[in-house]
Structures are given as C-alpha cells and as structure tokens.
C-alpha cells in the first residue's frame, strides 16, 4: 500500500523537473509513520535525503507538533548539511512544515500560499477552502489569480466536508495542512513536500526567496483564561460589542478593518480565548490585538 501511495503522490508532480535539480532534503518525521513514506518518496524523486528522528521506536524525539520552537534540530541539520529544504511532519504525517535553505522555520501560512500560488498557475482558476483563522496573505494571492476563497470554521474535517460539498479543488490550513482534491480531499504531508519541490524546481528560486516575494503581514497573538462554562456568555457580549462592524461570525468573531483584521474565538481544547490580529504594520497588529483583548476582558 505504501508503494501505491507513493505512486499516487508522484502522479501529481513533474517528476523529471524535480529529478534534474538533485535537491538535498532533510526529513524529520518525528519517529512516526511519515518515516515509512516521505524519505523514500523523495529519494524516488531524485533527492539526496537525510533523515533525523526517523526510527519508529514508539516515542517522539521532539514534541510532535511541528513549530519553530520544536524544530531546532532540523534547522541545524539543514544549515550544517547545506540542504535545499527541510521537511517536518506531525505524528500522522498529514501536515508538513518547511525549513528554508538558511535554516529558518517558515510558518505554514507562507509556505502553503507559495504552493497554492503554484497550483493556481498550474491548474487555472478554481476554489480554495480555508478556515477563518488563515492569514489574509492567502486571500491576496487567490484573488490575484482570479480564483475564489471560501472560509469555514476551524477544523480539518470541516475543510474537507466543505470541499466535497462545493467541489473545491484545494484546501488549506495555516498549521501546514494542504488538501488537494485530485489526490484526496484531506491533508497530506508527503504530497505537500513533493509539490514544494516542484515549486523550487520550476521557479529556479530558493524557498527563502519565494517567501520574501510574498505580501508582508505581521501577526500578534494573545490568549486569556476563560472558564469553559463562561465561553458562550463571553461570545454573546463580544457579538454585541462588535455589532455594526465589518465582521464574520462563523467561528468566534473576526473583525475586518481597512488596514488589518482580528479573530477572537474560544479554544476548543483549552479554557482560554484566543486573539489573532494581523496587519501590514507590526505596530498596527499590536494595536488591534490590544483592542480585541480589551473587549474580551470587558466581557469577562
């Protein structure tokens, strides 16, 4: 079944263009199932592959969530081996977070936008589905390509169901989850890795250069404790406070300004409210986050 899976992934990329580049890639599958597929897939695509945390020993060598603070080893290995790319999976390898050739861990909203921009150029206008929490960066690129962006509540299964419902070709989550309907309508980390290699091969650019060319947004994140039983009452007050503003209320409340936006939503797993503010300027993102936090504190 792994061979069938690898062939399925390879059917969606230009194998020869990737092979010609002889990329060097470091893969960190966090001692889990990604180690059974991604390193071998990339070798078949002509890459020189180095692995870390690849033995399936029943214990994660790092926290399984691929974040900048958990991928220090991968960053060091990419720099030390002069690799072209670093690839990190989560425990079940349906997500992929990348490290550029300089050793920088790149957030999922940026690398996902790079891949989706490439796909939209490749397959033409289509529909992209993404949660309300995703950066406006993706919206900018989708609109530039003349395509349509549909926002949903947060959750990978929600994205999948919406894609199936409306026949969307692409889905995306900013935690490194890429959905590609011609392959399967769920997140797939190895496919994301293969598509990124296709982007690098066909553009002739490094990942750091591709990211640098994207529109620039700054993010300010906050969290505040809130007992689970109070979450609905707090949301009622937030909806009242933001009435009349340009907003979406499909999952929490997201308020849009001319120069930024902010999402305020209760965590589904912790007794907290989260605030995600975004703007072109860092100080404006901070200002919007502070405004949103004041609303939550007042509601509490």
């Amino acid at each position: 079944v792994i061979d069938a899976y690898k062939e399925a992934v390879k059917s969606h990329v230009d194998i020869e263009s990737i092979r010609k580049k002889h990329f060097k890639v470091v893969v960190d599958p966090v001692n889990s199932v990604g180690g059974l597929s991604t390193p071998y897939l990339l070798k078949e695509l002509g890459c020189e592959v180095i692995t870390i945390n690849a033995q399936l020993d029943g214990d994660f060598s790092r926290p399984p969530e691929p974040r900048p603070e958990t991928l220090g080893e991968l960053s060091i290995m990419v720099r030390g081996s002069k690799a072209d790319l670093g690839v990190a999976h989560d425990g079940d390898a349906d997500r992929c977070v990348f490290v550029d050739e300089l050793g920088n861990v790149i957030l999922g909203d940026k690398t996902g936008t790079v891949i989706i921009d490439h796909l939209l150029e490749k397959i033409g206008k289509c529909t992209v589905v993404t949660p309300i929490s995703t950066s406006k960066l993706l919206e900018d690129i989708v609109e530039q390509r003349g395509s349509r962006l549909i926002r949903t509540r947060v959750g990978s299964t929600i994205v999948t169901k919406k894609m199936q419902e409306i026949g969307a070709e692409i889905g995306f989550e900013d935690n490194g989850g890429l959905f590609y309907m011609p392959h399967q309508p769920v997140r797939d980390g190895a496919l994301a890795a293969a598509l990124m290699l296709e982007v690098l091969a066909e553009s002739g650019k490094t990942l750091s250069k591709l990211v640098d060319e994207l529109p620039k947004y700054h993010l300010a994140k906050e969290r505040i404790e809130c007992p689970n039983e109070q979450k609905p009452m707090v949301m009622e007050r937030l909806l009242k406070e933001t009435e009349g503003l340009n907003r979406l209320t499909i999952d929490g409340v997201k308020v849009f300004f001319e120069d930024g936006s902010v999402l305020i939503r209760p965590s589904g797993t912790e007794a907290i409210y989260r605030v995600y503010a975004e703007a072109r300027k860092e100080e404006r993102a901070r200002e919007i986050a502070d405004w949103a936090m004041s609303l939550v504190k007042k509601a509490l």
Side-chain angles (χ1 to χ4, degrees):
V1 71
I2 292 175
D3 288 338
Y5 169 71
K6 290 185 295 179
E7 291 305 313
V9 172
K10 286 191 288 185
S11 73
H12 298 294
V13 297
D14 186 335
I15 298 171
E16 289 310 310
S17 71
I18 297 172
R19 283 179 175 163
K20 286 177 184 176
K21 291 295 185 178
H22 305 290
F23 290 118
K24 181 186 287 188
V25 184
V26 184
V27 179
D28 177 356
V30 69
N31 310 97
S32 196
V33 293
L36 298 174
S37 54
T38 301
Y40 301 97
L41 168 70
L42 300 192
K43 286 187 76 172
E44 291 172 20
L45 290 173
C47 299
E48 177 185 346
V49 179
I50 301 168
T51 58
I52 62 172
N53 303 325
Q55 69 279 13
L56 274 71
D57 59 7
D59 188 23
F60 296 131
S61 294
R62 61 162 170 84
E65 186 77 9
R67 294 173 174 167
E69 59 268 25
T70 66
L71 299 179
E73 288 182 346
L74 179 59
S75 177
I76 290 168
M77 184 61 77
V78 169
R79 289 198 308 272
S81 64
K82 294 181 170 56
D84 300 288
L85 188 69
V87 171
H89 289 313
D90 57 338
D92 56 352
D94 63 351
R95 291 159 48 203
C96 190
V97 171
F98 295 97
V99 174
D100 71 15
E101 78 287 355
L102 304 175
N104 301 309
V105 180
I106 310 298
L107 296 178
D109 58 348
K110 295 178 180 178
T111 54
T113 301
V114 166
I115 293 173
I116 290 172
D117 186 38
H118 171 76
L119 284 173
L120 293 177
E121 182 179 26
K122 181 178 175 179
I123 67 178
K125 294 179 182 179
C126 66
T127 300
V128 180
V129 177
T130 194
I132 194 170
S133 56
T134 300
S135 170
K136 192 175 183 300
L137 172 62
L138 178 63
E139 183 179 323
D140 290 350
I141 296 300
V142 170
E143 288 180 353
Q144 285 175 23
R145 292 290 182 186
S147 293
R148 183 172 65 138
L149 186 72
I150 301 293
R151 293 190 180 272
T152 69
R153 291 185 292 117
V154 174
S156 65
T157 58
I158 295 169
V159 173
T160 290
K161 288 175 182 175
K162 177 58 72 171
M163 289 177 67
Q164 294 173 318
E165 176 190 322
I166 66 176
E169 294 86 350
I170 302 170
F172 170 66
E173 289 181 308
D174 60 4
N175 58 10
L178 181 75
F179 310 64
Y180 188 47
M181 184 69 85
H183 177 57
Q184 52 182 349
V186 294
R187 304 185 300 195
D188 192 300
L191 176 70
L195 284 170
M196 180 60 82
L197 289 172
E198 182 181 78
V199 175
L200 298 181
E202 295 188 357
S203 69
K205 298 176 181 177
T206 62
L207 179 54
S208 65
K209 175 66 173 173
L210 289 165
V211 170
D212 191 56
E213 291 175 348
L214 294 172
K216 298 293 186 294
Y217 284 94
H218 295 276
L219 187 65
K221 294 184 179 182
E222 292 288 351
R223 51 188 284 164
I224 184 169
E225 292 183 8
C226 175
N228 289 323
E229 63 273 14
Q230 290 186 23
K231 287 178 179 177
M233 291 180 285
V234 169
M235 183 51 60
E236 282 181 25
R237 296 189 180 193
L238 289 172
L239 291 172
K240 189 172 291 186
E241 287 287 338
T242 58
E243 201 169 5
L245 298 177
N246 181 13
R247 68 182 189 181
L248 282 175
T249 58
I250 57 177
D251 190 353
V253 56
K254 186 164 188 173
V255 181
F256 298 89
F257 304 96
E258 286 188 6
D259 56 352
S261 65
V262 62
L263 173 64
I264 312 169
R265 67 182 292 270
S267 169
T269 56
E270 300 177 73
I272 60 172
Y273 256 79
R274 298 186 189 277
V275 168
Y276 302 94
E278 185 179 47
R280 288 282 195 168
K281 294 182 178 180
E282 189 172 359
E283 59 270 23
R284 178 57 175 156
R286 182 73 267 154
E287 186 180 287
I288 295 173
D290 290 343
W291 171 80
M293 285 292 287
S294 71
L295 292 186
V296 180
K297 289 175 181 176
K298 181 179 177 182
L300 282 166

